Coordinates of all heavy atoms in Angstrom, one line a residue:
M1 N 171.0 116.6 90.8 CA 170.7 115.5 91.8 C 171.9 114.8 92.2 O 172.0 114.2 93.2 CB 169.7 114.5 91.2 CG 168.2 115.2 91.3 SD 167.6 115.6 92.9 CE 167.4 114.0 93.6
D2 N 173.0 114.8 91.3 CA 174.3 114.1 91.7 C 174.9 114.8 93.0 O 175.3 114.1 93.9 CB 175.2 114.2 90.6 CG 174.9 113.3 89.4 OD1 174.0 112.3 89.7 OD2 175.3 113.5 88.3
V3 N 174.9 116.1 93.0 CA 175.3 116.8 94.2 C 174.4 116.5 95.4 O 175.0 116.2 96.5 CB 175.3 118.4 94.0 CG1 175.8 119.0 95.3 CG2 176.3 118.6 92.9
V4 N 173.1 116.5 95.3 CA 172.2 116.2 96.4 C 172.6 114.7 96.9 O 172.6 114.5 98.1 CB 170.7 116.2 95.9 CG1 169.8 115.7 96.9 CG2 170.4 117.7 95.6
K5 N 172.7 113.8 96.0 CA 173.1 112.4 96.4 C 174.3 112.3 97.3 O 174.3 111.7 98.3 CB 173.2 111.5 95.2 CG 173.4 110.1 95.4 CD 173.5 109.3 94.2 CE 173.9 107.8 94.4 NZ 173.9 107.0 93.2
K6 N 175.3 113.1 96.9 CA 176.5 113.1 97.6 C 176.4 113.7 99.0 O 176.9 113.2 99.9 CB 177.7 113.8 96.8 CG 178.2 113.2 95.6 CD 179.2 114.0 94.8 CE 179.7 113.3 93.6 NZ 180.5 114.1 92.8
I7 N 175.7 114.9 99.1 CA 175.6 115.4 100.4 C 174.8 114.8 101.3 O 174.9 114.7 102.5 CB 175.2 116.9 100.3 CG1 173.9 117.2 99.7 CG2 176.3 117.7 99.5 CD1 173.5 118.7 99.8
V8 N 173.7 114.0 100.8 CA 172.9 113.1 101.7 C 173.7 112.0 102.1 O 173.6 111.6 103.4 CB 171.6 112.6 100.8 CG1 170.9 111.5 101.6 CG2 170.7 113.8 100.6
K9 N 174.5 111.4 101.3 CA 175.4 110.3 101.7 C 176.4 110.7 102.8 O 176.8 110.0 103.7 CB 176.3 109.8 100.4 CG 177.3 108.7 100.7 CD 178.1 108.3 99.5 CE 179.1 107.4 99.8 NZ 179.9 107.1 98.7
Y10 N 176.9 112.0 102.8 CA 177.7 112.5 103.8 C 177.0 112.9 105.1 O 177.5 113.3 106.1 CB 178.4 113.8 103.2 CG 179.3 113.7 102.1 CD1 179.5 114.7 101.2 CD2 180.0 112.4 102.0 CE1 180.3 114.4 100.1 CE2 181.0 112.3 101.0 CZ 181.1 113.3 100.0 OH 181.9 113.0 98.9
G11 N 175.7 112.7 105.0 CA 174.9 113.0 106.3 C 174.0 114.2 106.4 O 173.4 114.5 107.5
A12 N 173.9 114.9 105.3 CA 173.0 116.1 105.4 C 171.6 115.7 105.7 O 171.1 114.8 105.1 CB 173.1 116.9 104.1
D13 N 170.8 116.5 106.5 CA 169.5 116.2 106.7 C 168.7 117.5 106.3 O 167.4 117.5 106.5 CB 169.2 116.0 108.2 CG 169.7 117.0 109.1 OD1 170.2 118.0 108.8 OD2 169.6 116.7 110.4
E14 N 169.3 118.5 105.8 CA 168.7 119.6 105.2 C 169.5 120.3 104.1 O 170.7 120.1 104.1 CB 168.6 120.7 106.3 CG 167.8 121.9 105.9 CD 167.6 122.9 107.0 OE1 167.3 122.4 108.2 OE2 167.6 124.2 106.8
I15 N 168.8 120.7 103.0 CA 169.5 121.3 101.8 C 168.8 122.7 101.6 O 167.7 122.8 101.6 CB 169.2 120.3 100.6 CG1 169.9 119.0 100.8 CG2 169.6 121.0 99.3 CD1 169.5 117.9 99.7
C16 N 169.8 123.5 101.4 CA 169.4 124.9 101.0 C 169.8 125.2 99.6 O 171.0 125.2 99.4 CB 170.0 125.9 102.0 SG 169.5 127.7 101.7
L17 N 168.8 125.6 98.8 CA 169.1 126.0 97.5 C 169.4 127.5 97.6 O 168.6 128.3 97.6 CB 168.0 125.7 96.5 CG 167.5 124.2 96.4 CD1 166.3 124.0 95.6 CD2 168.7 123.4 96.0
K18 N 170.6 127.9 97.4 CA 171.1 129.3 97.5 C 171.1 129.9 96.1 O 172.0 129.5 95.3 CB 172.4 129.4 98.2 CG 172.5 128.7 99.5 CD 172.1 129.7 100.7 CE 173.0 130.8 100.9 NZ 172.7 131.5 102.1
D19 N 170.2 130.9 95.9 CA 170.2 131.6 94.6 C 170.5 133.1 94.8 O 169.7 133.9 94.8 CB 168.8 131.4 94.0 CG 168.8 132.0 92.5 OD1 169.8 132.4 91.9 OD2 167.6 132.2 92.0
M20 N 171.7 133.3 95.2 CA 172.2 134.5 95.7 C 172.1 135.6 94.5 O 172.0 136.9 94.8 CB 173.6 134.5 96.1 CG 173.8 133.5 97.3 SD 173.0 134.0 98.7 CE 173.8 135.4 99.3
A21 N 172.1 135.2 93.2 CA 172.1 136.2 92.2 C 170.6 136.4 91.7 O 170.3 137.2 90.9 CB 172.9 135.6 91.0
G22 N 169.7 135.5 92.1 CA 168.3 135.6 91.8 C 168.1 135.1 90.3 O 167.1 135.6 89.7
I23 N 168.9 134.3 89.8 CA 168.8 133.9 88.4 C 168.3 132.5 88.1 O 168.1 132.1 87.0 CB 170.1 134.1 87.6 CG1 171.2 133.2 88.3 CG2 170.6 135.5 87.6 CD1 172.5 133.1 87.5
G24 N 167.9 131.9 89.3 CA 167.4 130.5 89.1 C 166.1 130.6 88.5 O 165.2 131.5 88.8
R25 N 165.7 129.7 87.5 CA 164.4 129.8 86.9 C 163.6 129.0 87.6 O 163.7 128.0 88.2 CB 164.6 129.1 85.5 CG 165.7 129.8 84.6 CD 165.3 131.2 84.3 NE 165.9 131.8 83.2 CZ 166.9 132.6 83.3 NH1 167.5 132.8 84.5 NH2 167.6 133.1 82.3
P26 N 162.2 129.5 87.7 CA 161.2 128.9 88.7 C 160.9 127.5 88.3 O 160.8 126.7 89.2 CB 160.0 129.9 88.3 CG 160.6 131.2 88.0 CD 161.8 130.8 87.2
V27 N 160.7 127.2 87.1 CA 160.3 125.9 86.8 C 161.4 124.8 87.1 O 161.1 123.8 87.6 CB 159.9 125.7 85.3 CG1 159.5 124.3 84.9 CG2 158.6 126.6 85.0
M28 N 162.5 125.2 86.7 CA 163.7 124.3 87.0 C 163.8 124.1 88.6 O 164.1 123.1 89.0 CB 165.1 124.9 86.4 CG 166.3 124.0 86.7 SD 167.1 124.2 88.3 CE 167.6 126.0 88.2
L29 N 163.8 125.2 89.3 CA 163.9 125.0 90.8 C 162.7 124.2 91.3 O 163.0 123.4 92.2 CB 163.9 126.5 91.5 CG 165.2 127.2 91.2 CD1 164.9 128.7 91.6 CD2 166.3 126.6 91.9
G30 N 161.6 124.4 90.9 CA 160.4 123.6 91.2 C 160.6 122.1 91.0 O 160.4 121.3 91.8
E31 N 161.1 121.8 89.8 CA 161.5 120.4 89.5 C 162.5 119.8 90.3 O 162.4 118.7 90.8 CB 161.8 120.3 88.0 CG 160.7 120.6 87.1 CD 161.0 120.6 85.6 OE1 162.3 120.5 85.3 OE2 160.2 120.8 84.7
L32 N 163.6 120.7 90.6 CA 164.7 120.1 91.5 C 164.1 119.8 92.9 O 164.4 118.8 93.5 CB 165.7 121.2 91.5 CG 166.9 120.8 92.4 CD1 167.6 119.5 92.1 CD2 168.0 122.0 92.4
V33 N 163.3 120.7 93.4 CA 162.8 120.5 94.8 C 161.9 119.2 94.7 O 162.0 118.4 95.6 CB 162.0 121.7 95.3 CG1 161.2 121.3 96.5 CG2 162.9 122.9 95.5
G34 N 161.1 119.2 93.8 CA 160.2 118.0 93.6 C 161.0 116.7 93.6 O 160.6 115.7 94.3
K35 N 162.1 116.7 92.8 CA 162.9 115.4 92.8 C 163.6 115.2 94.1 O 163.6 114.0 94.5 CB 163.9 115.6 91.7 CG 163.4 115.5 90.3 CD 164.5 115.9 89.4 CE 164.0 115.8 87.9 NZ 165.0 116.1 86.8
I36 N 164.0 116.2 94.8 CA 164.7 116.0 96.1 C 163.6 115.4 97.1 O 163.9 114.4 97.8 CB 165.2 117.3 96.7 CG1 166.4 117.7 95.9 CG2 165.7 117.1 98.0 CD1 166.9 119.2 96.1
K37 N 162.5 115.9 97.1 CA 161.4 115.6 98.1 C 160.9 114.2 97.7 O 160.6 113.4 98.7 CB 160.3 116.6 98.2 CG 160.6 117.9 98.6 CD 161.2 118.0 100.0 CE 160.2 117.8 101.2 NZ 160.8 118.0 102.5
K38 N 160.9 113.8 96.5 CA 160.5 112.5 96.1 C 161.5 111.4 96.6 O 161.2 110.4 97.1 CB 160.2 112.4 94.7 CG 159.6 111.1 94.1 CD 159.3 111.1 92.7 CE 158.7 109.7 92.3 NZ 158.4 109.7 90.9
K39 N 162.7 111.6 96.3 CA 163.8 110.6 96.4 C 164.2 110.7 97.9 O 164.6 109.6 98.5 CB 165.1 111.0 95.6 CG 166.2 110.0 95.8 CD 167.1 110.0 94.7 CE 168.1 109.0 94.8 NZ 168.6 108.3 93.6
Y40 N 164.1 111.8 98.6 CA 164.7 111.9 100.0 C 163.6 112.6 100.8 O 163.7 113.8 101.2 CB 165.9 112.6 100.1 CG 167.0 112.2 99.3 CD1 167.4 112.7 98.0 CD2 167.7 111.0 99.6 CE1 168.4 112.2 97.3 CE2 168.7 110.5 98.9 CZ 169.1 111.1 97.7 OH 170.0 110.5 96.8
P41 N 162.4 112.0 101.1 CA 161.3 112.7 101.7 C 161.6 113.2 103.1 O 160.9 114.2 103.5 CB 160.2 111.6 101.8 CG 160.8 110.3 101.5 CD 162.1 110.6 100.7
G42 N 162.6 112.7 103.8 CA 162.9 113.1 105.1 C 163.8 114.4 105.1 O 164.1 115.0 106.3
I43 N 164.3 114.8 104.1 CA 165.2 115.9 103.9 C 164.4 117.2 103.9 O 163.5 117.3 103.0 CB 166.1 115.7 102.6 CG1 167.0 114.6 102.7 CG2 166.9 117.1 102.3 CD1 168.2 114.7 103.6
K44 N 164.8 118.2 104.7 CA 164.2 119.4 104.7 C 164.9 120.2 103.5 O 166.1 120.2 103.4 CB 164.5 120.2 106.0 CG 163.9 119.5 107.2 CD 162.4 119.7 107.1 CE 161.8 119.1 108.4 NZ 160.4 118.9 108.4
V45 N 164.1 121.0 102.8 CA 164.5 121.8 101.7 C 164.1 123.3 101.9 O 163.1 123.6 102.1 CB 164.0 121.4 100.3 CG1 164.5 122.2 99.2 CG2 164.3 119.8 100.0
Q46 N 165.2 124.1 101.8 CA 165.0 125.6 102.0 C 165.4 126.2 100.7 O 166.3 125.8 100.0 CB 166.0 126.1 103.1 CG 166.0 127.5 103.3 CD 166.9 127.8 104.4 OE1 167.4 127.0 105.1 NE2 167.1 129.2 104.6
Y47 N 164.7 127.2 100.4 CA 165.0 128.1 99.2 C 165.3 129.5 99.7 O 164.6 130.1 100.4 CB 163.8 128.1 98.2 CG 164.1 129.1 97.0 CD1 165.1 128.8 96.1 CD2 163.4 130.3 97.0 CE1 165.4 129.7 95.0 CE2 163.7 131.2 95.9 CZ 164.7 130.9 95.1 OH 165.0 131.8 93.9
H48 N 166.5 130.0 99.1 CA 167.1 131.3 99.5 C 167.3 132.0 98.2 O 168.4 131.8 97.4 CB 168.3 131.1 100.2 CG 169.1 132.2 100.6 ND1 169.0 132.9 101.9 CD2 169.9 133.1 99.9 CE1 169.8 133.9 102.0 NE2 170.4 134.1 100.7
G49 N 166.4 132.9 97.7 CA 166.6 133.5 96.5 C 166.4 135.1 96.6 O 165.6 135.5 97.4
H50 N 167.3 135.7 95.9 CA 167.3 137.2 96.0 C 166.5 137.8 94.8 O 166.2 137.2 93.8 CB 168.8 137.6 95.9 CG 169.4 137.4 97.2 ND1 169.9 138.5 98.0 CD2 169.8 136.3 97.9 CE1 170.5 137.9 99.1 NE2 170.4 136.7 99.0
S51 N 166.0 139.0 95.0 CA 165.0 139.7 94.2 C 165.6 140.3 92.9 O 164.9 140.4 91.9 CB 164.4 140.9 94.9 OG 163.7 140.5 96.0
G52 N 166.9 140.5 92.9 CA 167.5 141.3 91.7 C 166.8 141.2 90.3 O 166.2 142.0 89.9
P53 N 167.0 140.1 89.6 CA 166.5 140.0 88.3 C 165.0 139.7 88.1 O 164.5 139.9 87.1 CB 167.2 138.7 87.7 CG 168.4 138.6 88.6 CD 167.9 139.0 89.9
G54 N 164.4 139.5 89.2 CA 162.9 139.4 89.3 C 162.3 138.1 89.3 O 161.1 137.9 89.2
F55 N 163.1 137.0 89.3 CA 162.5 135.6 89.4 C 162.0 135.1 90.7 O 161.3 134.1 90.8 CB 163.7 134.7 88.8 CG 163.9 134.8 87.4 CD1 165.2 135.2 87.0 CD2 163.0 134.5 86.3 CE1 165.4 135.3 85.6 CE2 163.3 134.6 85.0 CZ 164.5 135.0 84.6
A56 N 162.5 135.8 91.7 CA 162.3 135.3 93.2 C 160.9 134.9 93.5 O 160.7 133.9 94.1 CB 163.0 136.2 94.2
M57 N 159.9 135.7 93.2 CA 158.6 135.6 93.6 C 158.0 134.3 93.0 O 157.5 133.5 93.6 CB 157.7 136.8 93.3 CG 157.9 138.0 94.2 SD 157.3 137.7 96.0 CE 155.6 137.8 95.7
A58 N 158.2 134.2 91.7 CA 157.7 133.0 90.9 C 158.5 131.8 91.3 O 157.9 130.8 91.5 CB 158.0 133.3 89.4
S59 N 159.8 131.9 91.7 CA 160.5 130.7 92.1 C 160.0 130.3 93.5 O 159.9 129.0 93.8 CB 162.0 131.1 92.2 OG 162.6 131.3 90.9
M60 N 159.7 131.2 94.3 CA 159.2 130.8 95.6 C 157.9 130.1 95.6 O 157.6 129.1 96.3 CB 159.0 132.1 96.5 CG 160.4 132.7 96.9 SD 160.1 134.1 98.0 CE 161.8 134.4 98.5
L61 N 156.9 130.6 94.6 CA 155.7 129.8 94.4 C 156.0 128.4 93.8 O 155.3 127.5 94.3 CB 154.8 130.6 93.5 CG 153.5 130.0 93.3 CD1 152.6 129.8 94.5 CD2 152.7 130.8 92.2
E62 N 156.9 128.3 93.0 CA 157.2 127.0 92.3 C 157.8 126.0 93.4 O 157.4 124.9 93.5 CB 158.1 127.1 91.1 CG 157.4 127.7 90.0 CD 156.3 126.8 89.4 OE1 156.3 125.6 89.4 OE2 155.2 127.5 89.0
V63 N 158.8 126.5 94.2 CA 159.4 125.6 95.1 C 158.4 125.3 96.3 O 158.4 124.1 96.8 CB 160.7 126.1 95.7 CG1 161.7 126.3 94.6 CG2 160.6 127.4 96.5
A64 N 157.5 126.2 96.6 CA 156.5 125.8 97.6 C 155.5 124.7 97.0 O 155.2 123.8 97.8 CB 155.8 127.2 97.9
R65 N 155.1 125.0 95.9 CA 154.3 123.9 95.3 C 154.9 122.6 95.2 O 154.3 121.5 95.3 CB 153.9 124.4 93.8 CG 152.8 125.4 93.9 CD 152.4 125.8 92.4 NE 151.3 126.8 92.4 CZ 151.0 127.6 91.5 NH1 151.7 127.7 90.5 NH2 149.9 128.4 91.6
A66 N 156.2 122.6 95.0 CA 157.0 121.3 95.0 C 157.3 120.7 96.3 O 157.8 119.6 96.4 CB 158.3 121.5 94.2
G67 N 157.0 121.5 97.4 CA 157.2 120.9 98.7 C 158.3 121.5 99.5 O 158.7 120.8 100.6
A68 N 158.8 122.6 99.2 CA 159.9 123.2 100.0 C 159.4 123.5 101.4 O 158.3 123.7 101.6 CB 160.4 124.5 99.4
D69 N 160.3 123.3 102.4 CA 159.9 123.4 103.8 C 160.1 124.9 104.3 O 159.4 125.2 105.2 CB 160.8 122.4 104.6 CG 160.5 121.0 104.3 OD1 159.5 120.5 104.6 OD2 161.3 120.4 103.5
Y70 N 161.1 125.6 103.8 CA 161.4 126.8 104.1 C 161.6 127.8 103.0 O 162.2 127.4 102.0 CB 162.7 126.8 105.0 CG 162.7 126.0 106.2 CD1 163.4 124.8 106.1 CD2 161.9 126.2 107.4 CE1 163.6 123.9 107.2 CE2 162.0 125.3 108.4 CZ 162.8 124.2 108.3 OH 162.9 123.3 109.4
I71 N 161.2 129.0 103.0 CA 161.6 130.1 102.1 C 162.0 131.2 102.8 O 161.3 131.8 103.7 CB 160.1 130.4 101.2 CG1 159.8 129.0 100.5 CG2 160.5 131.5 100.3 CD1 158.3 129.3 99.9
D72 N 163.2 131.8 102.3 CA 163.7 132.9 103.0 C 163.1 134.2 102.5 O 162.9 134.3 101.1 CB 165.3 133.0 102.8 CG 166.0 131.9 103.5 OD1 165.3 131.2 104.4 OD2 167.2 131.7 103.3
V73 N 162.7 135.1 103.3 CA 162.1 136.4 103.0 C 162.7 137.4 103.7 O 163.5 137.2 104.7 CB 160.6 136.4 103.1 CG1 159.9 135.4 102.3 CG2 160.2 136.1 104.7
A74 N 162.5 138.6 103.5 CA 162.9 139.8 104.3 C 161.7 140.7 104.6 O 160.6 140.5 104.2 CB 163.9 140.6 103.4
M75 N 161.9 141.8 105.4 CA 160.9 142.6 105.7 C 161.3 144.0 105.4 O 162.5 144.3 105.4 CB 160.5 142.5 107.2 CG 161.6 142.6 108.2 SD 161.0 142.3 109.9 CE 160.3 143.8 110.3
E76 N 160.2 144.8 105.1 CA 160.6 146.2 104.8 C 161.4 146.8 106.1 O 161.0 146.4 107.2 CB 159.3 147.0 104.6 CG 158.6 146.6 103.3 CD 159.4 147.1 102.1 OE1 160.3 147.8 102.1 OE2 158.9 146.6 101.0
P77 N 162.2 147.7 105.9 CA 162.8 148.3 104.7 C 163.9 147.5 103.9 O 164.6 148.1 103.2 CB 163.3 149.7 105.2 CG 163.8 149.4 106.6 CD 163.0 148.2 107.1
L78 N 164.2 146.3 104.4 CA 165.4 145.6 103.9 C 165.0 144.7 102.6 O 166.0 144.1 102.1 CB 166.0 144.7 105.0 CG 166.4 145.4 106.2 CD1 166.9 144.5 107.3 CD2 167.5 146.5 105.9
S79 N 163.7 144.6 102.3 CA 163.4 143.8 101.2 C 163.5 144.3 99.8 O 163.8 145.6 99.8 CB 162.0 143.2 101.4 OG 161.1 144.3 101.6
W80 N 163.3 143.5 98.8 CA 163.4 143.9 97.5 C 164.8 144.3 97.1 O 165.8 143.9 97.7 CB 162.4 144.9 97.0 CG 160.9 144.5 97.4 CD1 160.1 145.0 98.3 CD2 160.3 143.4 96.9 NE1 159.0 144.3 98.4 CE2 159.0 143.3 97.5 CE3 160.5 142.4 95.8 CZ2 158.0 142.3 97.2 CZ3 159.7 141.4 95.6 CH2 158.4 141.5 96.2
G81 N 165.0 145.1 96.0 CA 166.3 145.5 95.6 C 167.1 144.2 95.3 O 166.8 143.3 94.5
M82 N 168.2 144.1 96.0 CA 169.1 142.9 95.8 C 169.0 141.9 96.9 O 169.8 141.0 97.1 CB 170.5 143.4 95.6 CG 170.8 144.2 94.4 SD 170.2 143.6 92.9 CE 171.3 142.2 92.6
V83 N 168.0 142.0 97.7 CA 167.7 141.2 98.9 C 166.5 140.2 98.5 O 166.2 140.0 97.4 CB 167.4 142.1 100.2 CG1 167.4 141.2 101.4 CG2 168.5 143.1 100.3
H84 N 165.8 139.7 99.5 CA 164.7 138.9 99.4 C 163.5 139.6 99.1 O 163.4 140.7 99.5 CB 164.4 137.9 100.5 CG 165.7 137.2 101.0 ND1 166.3 136.2 100.3 CD2 166.4 137.3 102.1 CE1 167.4 135.8 100.9 NE2 167.5 136.4 102.0
P85 N 162.4 139.0 98.6 CA 161.1 139.6 98.5 C 160.6 139.9 99.8 O 161.0 139.2 100.8 CB 160.3 138.6 97.7 CG 161.2 137.9 96.9 CD 162.4 137.7 97.7
D86 N 159.7 140.8 100.0 CA 159.0 141.1 101.3 C 158.1 140.0 101.8 O 157.3 139.4 101.0 CB 158.2 142.4 101.1 CG 157.7 142.9 102.4 OD1 158.3 143.2 103.3 OD2 156.4 143.0 102.5
V87 N 158.1 139.8 103.1 CA 157.4 138.8 103.7 C 155.8 138.9 103.5 O 155.2 138.0 103.4 CB 157.7 138.7 105.2 CG1 157.4 139.9 106.0 CG2 157.1 137.5 105.8
I88 N 155.4 140.2 103.5 CA 154.0 140.4 103.3 C 153.6 140.1 101.9 O 152.5 139.4 101.8 CB 153.6 141.9 103.6 CG1 153.9 142.2 105.1 CG2 152.2 142.2 103.2 CD1 153.8 143.6 105.5
S89 N 154.3 140.4 100.9 CA 154.0 139.9 99.6 C 154.1 138.4 99.4 O 153.1 137.8 98.7 CB 155.0 140.6 98.6 OG 154.9 141.9 98.6
V90 N 155.0 137.7 100.0 CA 155.2 136.4 99.8 C 154.0 135.7 100.5 O 153.4 134.7 100.1 CB 156.5 135.8 100.3 CG1 156.6 134.3 100.3 CG2 157.7 136.4 99.5
Q91 N 153.7 136.2 101.8 CA 152.6 135.5 102.5 C 151.2 135.7 101.7 O 150.5 134.8 101.5 CB 152.5 136.2 103.8 CG 151.3 135.6 104.7 CD 150.6 136.6 105.5 OE1 150.4 137.8 105.0 NE2 150.0 136.2 106.7
A92 N 150.9 136.9 101.1 CA 149.7 137.0 100.3 C 149.7 136.0 99.1 O 148.7 135.5 98.8 CB 149.7 138.5 99.9
M93 N 150.9 135.9 98.4 CA 151.0 135.1 97.2 C 150.6 133.7 97.6 O 149.9 133.1 97.0 CB 152.3 135.3 96.7 CG 152.5 134.2 95.4 SD 154.2 134.3 94.7 CE 155.2 133.6 96.2
L94 N 151.3 133.2 98.7 CA 151.1 131.8 99.1 C 149.6 131.6 99.6 O 149.1 130.5 99.3 CB 152.1 131.4 100.2 CG 153.6 131.3 99.7 CD1 154.5 131.0 100.8 CD2 153.7 130.4 98.5
K95 N 149.1 132.5 100.3 CA 147.7 132.4 100.7 C 146.8 132.3 99.6 O 145.9 131.4 99.6 CB 147.3 133.6 101.6 CG 147.6 133.5 103.0 CD 147.2 134.7 103.8 CE 146.4 134.4 105.0 NZ 146.0 135.6 105.7
D96 N 147.0 133.1 98.6 CA 146.1 133.2 97.4 C 146.2 131.8 96.7 O 145.3 131.4 95.9 CB 146.6 134.3 96.5 CG 145.6 134.5 95.3 OD1 144.4 134.6 95.6 OD2 146.1 134.5 94.2
A97 N 147.5 131.2 96.8 CA 147.6 130.0 96.1 C 147.2 128.7 96.8 O 147.3 127.6 96.4 CB 149.2 129.7 95.7
G98 N 146.5 129.0 98.0 CA 146.0 127.9 98.8 C 146.9 127.4 99.9 O 146.4 126.4 100.6
F99 N 147.9 127.9 100.1 CA 148.8 127.4 101.3 C 148.2 128.0 102.6 O 147.8 129.1 102.7 CB 150.3 127.9 101.1 CG 150.9 127.2 99.9 CD1 150.9 127.7 98.6 CD2 151.6 126.0 100.2 CE1 151.5 127.0 97.6 CE2 152.2 125.3 99.1 CZ 152.3 125.8 97.9
M100 N 148.5 127.2 103.5 CA 148.2 127.7 104.9 C 149.4 128.3 105.5 O 150.4 127.6 105.7 CB 147.7 126.5 105.8 CG 146.4 125.9 105.4 SD 145.8 124.6 106.4 CE 145.5 125.5 107.9
V101 N 149.4 129.6 105.6 CA 150.5 130.2 106.1 C 150.2 131.0 107.4 O 149.1 131.5 107.4 CB 151.2 131.2 105.1 CG1 151.8 130.5 104.0 CG2 150.1 132.2 104.5
P102 N 151.0 131.2 108.3 CA 150.7 131.9 109.6 C 150.4 133.4 109.3 O 150.9 134.0 108.3 CB 151.9 131.9 110.4 CG 153.0 131.2 109.6 CD 152.4 130.7 108.3
E103 N 149.7 134.0 110.1 CA 149.3 135.4 110.1 C 150.6 136.1 110.5 O 151.4 135.6 111.3 CB 148.2 135.8 110.9 CG 146.8 135.2 110.5 CD 146.4 135.8 109.0 OE1 146.7 136.9 108.7 OE2 146.0 134.9 108.2
I104 N 150.7 137.4 110.0 CA 151.8 138.3 110.5 C 151.3 139.2 111.6 O 150.3 139.9 111.3 CB 152.3 139.0 109.3 CG1 152.9 138.0 108.3 CG2 153.5 139.9 109.8 CD1 153.3 138.7 106.9
D105 N 151.9 139.1 112.7 CA 151.6 140.1 113.8 C 152.2 141.4 113.5 O 153.3 141.6 113.8 CB 152.0 139.4 115.1 CG 151.6 140.4 116.3 OD1 151.0 141.4 116.1 OD2 151.8 139.9 117.4
M106 N 151.4 142.3 112.9 CA 151.9 143.6 112.6 C 152.1 144.5 113.9 O 152.7 145.5 113.8 CB 151.0 144.3 111.6 CG 150.8 143.6 110.3 SD 152.4 143.4 109.4 CE 152.3 144.6 108.4

């Protein structure tokens, strides 16, 4: 939160949590997003997590529950592996968790 405080002071109106290695732990990321949204409700929060180690799907659910505004996804054939989870899987997971997400025009 010290870094967040500094960048908000510098004028940031959006924060992207970049987890390029995909090692961010879901609960910690959810707690961080929750703290950011509570202290700075006008700040948009984006989560950018890669699939590699396997935490990304759980992390996306946790940050969504904590109020993240954007979640980066990919589409087949570019998803999974070392990239983002697939948009269809993320959409299904969020719908199942009760989120209102747009339909995908296949």
Side-chain angles (χ1 to χ4, degrees):
M1 284 300 292
D2 290 338
V3 173
V4 171
K5 183 178 178 181
K6 286 179 186 176
I7 64 173
V8 170
K9 180 181 173 187
Y10 296 145
D13 56 4
E14 184 172 323
I15 295 170
C16 181
L17 302 175
K18 303 272 292 187
D19 185 12
M20 301 298 288
I23 59 173
R25 300 298 193 264
V27 172
M28 180 277 298
L29 288 167
E31 288 174 355
L32 179 58
V33 170
K35 288 177 183 176
I36 294 169
K37 295 303 280 184
K38 183 176 181 182
K39 185 163 182 143
Y40 306 104
I43 297 285
K44 299 285 186 196
V45 178
Q46 175 180 355
Y47 174 68
H48 178 100
H50 286 242
S51 300
F55 291 113
M57 288 290 285
S59 294
M60 288 179 174
L61 183 57
E62 289 296 320
V63 300
R65 285 181 173 155
D69 299 284
Y70 308 106
I71 298 171
D72 292 346
V73 295
M75 56 187 280
E76 294 289 350
L78 302 174
S79 57
W80 304 114
M82 296 310 288
V83 188
H84 307 294
D86 181 62
V87 63
I88 296 170
S89 299
V90 173
Q91 183 218 32
M93 174 184 66
L94 293 176
K95 275 178 128 175
D96 189 55
F99 288 90
M100 293 185 66
V101 292
E103 292 299 320
I104 297 173
D105 182 359
M106 300 301 267

